[in-house]
Amino acid sequence: MNSKILSILFILVLLVSACDLSEEPYGFYSEDNFYTTPQDAEASLMYAYNALTFIEYSRGIFYIGELASETCDVKADEAYGSQQLNSWTADATNETLTYFFKYCFIAINRSNAVIDNLVNSDFDASIKNRLLGEAYFLRAYNYFNLVKVFGLVPIQKSMVNSISQTSPNMAQNLDELYDFIIADLKEAESLLDINQKVGRADKVAAQAFLAKVYLTIASSKESGVAKYTDMAIDVTSAYEEAANWAHKVLYDQSQYHIDNDLVHIYDVDAPDGPEHIFIMSMDRSGQNEGNYSKIAMMFHPWVDGVPYYLKNPDNTFTYATNGWEVFQTTTSFFNTFSEVDKRRSDLMVTDVYNVNGEVVGSLGGKFSYPFTRKYVDPEFVGQKSSAKPYLMRFSEVALIYAEAAGPTSDAYEWVNAIRNRAGLGDLDPNLSTEAYRNAVVQERAWELAFEGQRLYDLRRKAMVLDKDQRAAAAGITEDQSAFYPIPQMEVDLNVNVTND
C-alpha cells in the first residue's frame, strides 16, 4: 500500500477514535484516492486484520474473557482496570473496556472500507469474492465480540465519508444487531472457499462462527438472559441453526479435524494444525508487540527470573520463559479437573525443571498457582514469542454441535471424542436435556480454559453468580452481570449512544 493510502487510512482511524470530534475532518476516502488494484485491496484487508493485533484488543480477549470468571485471579499489583474486572466492579470508565470497544470499531471501519470499495469493483471474481468474504467475516466477528461484551452497540454499516457518520445510531434491539452479524457471516460463507491460512478466515471459519452465534442466542434466551428474552427467534430454531452450521464443519469438509495430540494443538510452530480454524497471526520475528506476542508472560509465574523447562508427557523437556504472573489460576478451578484429565496433567504445570531435568520450582514453593502451558514458545526471543490467541478451534465446534444437537447419539459421540482425548470416560448417557447441556458447558470450561471464553459461557447460561463468588460479593444481579456498560468516552462522543 503506497504512502498516500496509508496516510488516508491513518486519518480515518484518528477520526473514528479521537477523543475530540469537534475539529472538521480533513481527509476521507474517495473514488479518486483509494485502491484501484487487487494488490491495494489486499493491503487494505490486511489493515483490517491488523486491528485485531493491537495490544489493547488482543490482551482484552483474556482480560475480559477470563478475569471475570472463576478460572483466574489477577496479581495484586496489576492495573486498576484489571482489578475491577476481576472483582466485578468495572464501570463505564474502565480502561480495558474502553480500548476494547475502540479497537473493535477501528476493525469494523477498516472492514467497511474494504466492502464499500470492492462491492462495485471490476476485479477478477475469485479475488473479489475472497477479499469481500473475509471483510464481511471480520465485520461480523468484531460485532459479535461487541455484543458479547456490551450488548446493544451502535451499528456502522459503511465506511466514514463525512463527519455526520461518526455518530451512528444504536441498534434498536438484539434482533437488529444479530441479524446484521448473521447476514454478514452468511455472505462470507457464500463467497469464501475452504482455504486454511494462518491469521485468515475461510468458509469453515464463517460456518463455525454462525454456529457459535446461534448457540449464544439459543442458550441466552433459554436461560432468561437480559435482552435475549425479547428476541424474535425461538429457542428451538436457534439451537437447530447452531447444530446445522456446526454439522457442516464436522461432516462436510476434511481440512479441519480433531487433533488427537493435546500438546501438539498448542505447538506455536504448528499454527496451521488441524484444530485451528481461526487463529491470530503473531510471530516472534515481529518488530512491534502485536506483531509478536507476550501472552505466555501473562500466564507464567516468575521463578527466580531464570528461564526454566517444562516436562512433556513423553518425558522430554520444553524450554519456557518466566512470566509476570498476571493471570493466576484459581485453586478452586484447578480442582474441578479430574486428576486423570490430560488437560490437567499435560497442559497444566505444577513443577518446573532446569536443563538437567532437576526440579527447581514447584507449586506452593517457588510459585503459587498451577499455570497453563498453552502459550509456551521454546524459541522465545527475550520477551517475544509466537504464542497466538486461539479464536476458533475444531474442538469448540464439536462442543457447539454437541450442546446444540444433544442429547442425541451423534451429539454424545462428539463430546465423548473430546473427553476420550483427555483420558476421560464417556459422559453419562442418561442425562436429561438440561443436565446434558450443562455438562457440555462444563466440558467447554475444561477444554477451552484460558482461551478467553469462560465469561461468555457464564453469561449465556445465566450462571455468573453461581460460578463466580466475586460477582455475588460485588452485590450485582445476574441481569447486571450480562453486559458491561458502554465506555463513558463513547457516550460522551456520540449523542446516540446510551447505557440504558
Side-chain angles (χ1 to χ4, degrees):
M1 184 178 292
N2 61 40
S3 59
K4 182 179 180 182
I5 295 166
L6 284 173
S7 297
I8 296 166
L9 289 168
F10 180 67
I11 291 167
L12 179 58
V13 171
L14 288 178
L15 172 67
V16 173
S17 61
C19 292
D20 181 8
L21 289 181
S22 59
E23 282 192 15
E24 185 70 20
Y26 54 90
F28 292 100
Y29 295 106
S30 75
E31 291 180 357
D32 297 327
N33 66 15
F34 199 53
Y35 48 77
T36 57
T37 68
Q39 290 74 26
D40 287 338
E42 185 85 33
S44 185
L45 178 64
M46 291 303 95
Y47 193 57
Y49 274 111
N50 187 59
L52 307 187
T53 65
F54 278 108
I55 299 171
E56 293 87 350
Y57 196 152
S58 59
R59 289 191 181 180
I61 292 170
F62 304 101
Y63 278 112
I64 300 172
E66 291 291 341
L67 283 184
S69 77
E70 82 278 26
T71 66
C72 287
D73 280 323
V74 66
K75 71 174 180 178
D77 60 349
E78 187 64 4
Y80 179 60
S82 305
Q83 299 288 347
Q84 287 183 314
L85 292 168
N86 191 234
S87 63
W88 280 96
T89 58
D91 58 21
T93 66
N94 182 274
E95 187 176 62
T96 300
L97 297 174
T98 299
Y99 279 121
F100 192 78
F101 188 100
K102 169 184 173 179
Y103 285 109
C104 280
F105 270 102
I106 287 176
I108 287 166
N109 200 56
R110 293 180 183 182
S111 301
N112 282 336
V114 178
I115 294 167
D116 289 359
N117 283 275
L118 270 179
V119 165
N120 296 316
S121 72
D122 58 359
F123 296 157
D124 177 82
S126 63
I127 296 173
K128 178 178 176 178
N129 288 346
R130 177 178 58 80
L131 296 174
L132 270 176
E134 290 184 64
Y136 281 119
F137 172 88
L138 281 174
R139 187 166 69 178
Y141 172 76
N142 284 284
Y143 269 116
F144 186 43
N145 281 343
L146 284 166
V147 72
K148 288 188 300 178
V149 177
F150 301 104
L152 296 180
V153 296
I155 300 183
Q156 181 72 51
K157 296 184 178 182
S158 59
M159 65 178 180
V160 175
N161 282 305
S162 67
I163 189 67
S164 63
Q165 290 178 292
T166 60
S167 299
N169 290 323
M170 290 281 285
Q172 296 182 26
N173 48 47
L174 287 184
D175 283 299
E176 182 183 5
L177 192 50
Y178 271 112
D179 284 349
F180 187 56
I181 292 169
I182 289 167
D184 269 3
L185 287 174
K186 287 183 176 179
E187 186 69 13
E189 197 271 344
S190 71
L191 292 170
L192 293 171
D193 295 322
I194 299 174
N195 180 31
Q196 184 181 27
K197 192 170 184 179
V198 175
R200 306 283 289 270
D202 68 356
K203 178 183 286 288
V204 175
Q207 293 169 343
F209 275 94
L210 276 164
K212 188 168 184 173
V213 165
Y214 277 114
L215 179 69
T216 299
I217 295 170
S219 57
S220 297
K221 185 168 184 178
E222 182 179 55
S223 301
V225 176
K227 293 185 171 64
Y228 283 91
T229 54
D230 297 327
M231 291 190 70
I233 189 171
D234 65 271
V235 171
T236 299
S237 296
Y239 273 129
E240 288 174 351
E241 288 283 359
N244 174 61
W245 288 106
H247 188 279
K248 293 179 184 294
V249 176
L250 302 182
Y251 293 98
D252 294 355
Q253 58 81 41
S254 58
Q255 177 69 48
Y256 304 94
H257 55 82
I258 286 179
D259 189 336
N260 288 318
D261 185 340
L262 268 178
V263 175
H264 180 259
I265 294 172
Y266 304 100
D267 182 345
V268 297
D269 291 320
D272 55 354
E275 284 269 337
H276 301 309
I277 293 175
F278 188 42
I279 187 170
M280 199 172 287
S281 181
M282 293 179 171
D283 188 83
R284 67 182 78 91
S285 64
Q287 296 302 305
N288 302 302
E289 186 173 358
N291 301 130
Y292 63 80
S293 168
K294 292 184 180 179
I295 296 172
M297 303 188 74
M298 309 294 285
F299 286 95
H300 290 192
W302 177 267
V303 184
D304 294 335
V306 179
Y308 42 75
Y309 292 79
L310 310 180
K311 195 172 187 178
N312 301 319
D314 62 0
N315 291 321
T316 60
F317 292 87
T318 294
Y319 194 41
T321 180
N322 268 275
W324 300 326
E325 304 183 337
V326 175
F327 300 112
Q328 303 182 3
T329 309
T330 62
T331 301
S332 58
F333 178 64
F334 180 68
N335 288 339
T336 65
F337 287 85
S338 165
E339 291 188 2
V340 299
D341 192 329
K342 292 179 181 179
R343 294 168 298 195
R344 169 176 168 148
S345 61
D346 294 0
L347 296 179
M348 300 287 288
V349 180
T350 56
D351 294 294
V352 298
Y353 302 80
N354 63 19
V355 69
N356 298 315
E358 301 165 333
V359 175
V360 293
S362 296
L363 178 63
K366 291 293 182 68
F367 55 94
S368 61
Y369 63 94
F371 64 96
T372 181
R373 60 176 296 161
K374 288 186 175 183
Y375 304 103
V376 171
D377 182 355
E379 303 296 330
F380 68 91
V381 180
Q383 295 184 351
K384 299 164 64 174
S385 86
S386 296
K388 303 167 178 66
Y390 308 103
L391 306 178
M392 178 61 74
R393 294 198 288 113
F394 187 89
S395 289
E396 181 179 4
V397 183
L399 292 173
I400 290 172
Y401 179 77
E403 184 180 348
T408 61
S409 58
D410 59 337
Y412 265 107
E413 180 180 337
W414 283 106
V415 70
N416 287 336
I418 302 300
R419 289 177 59 83
N420 296 164
R421 181 180 63 184
L424 302 178
D426 290 351
L427 197 62
D428 182 348
N430 299 309
L431 297 173
S432 66
T433 300
E434 180 181 3
Y436 167 85
R437 284 183 169 147
N438 287 339
V440 175
V441 172
Q442 180 58 57
E443 202 65 43
R444 286 175 57 90
W446 296 320
E447 179 65 27
L448 305 175
F450 316 114
E451 296 181 29
Q453 301 266 22
R454 184 57 172 164
L455 170 63
Y456 309 116
D457 279 350
L458 297 182
R459 282 180 163 179
R460 68 183 178 85
K461 295 293 290 184
M463 57 184 187
V464 169
L465 271 65
D466 180 58
K467 292 292 185 179
D468 191 348
Q469 295 181 353
R470 295 167 301 197
I476 62 174
T477 65
E478 197 68 50
D479 279 358
Q480 290 170 328
S481 76
F483 307 108
Y484 285 119
I486 290 177
Q488 187 60 45
M489 183 180 77
E490 304 297 332
V491 176
D492 294 340
L493 289 171
N494 185 349
V495 295
N496 297 315
V497 173
T498 63
N499 266 313
D500 293 338

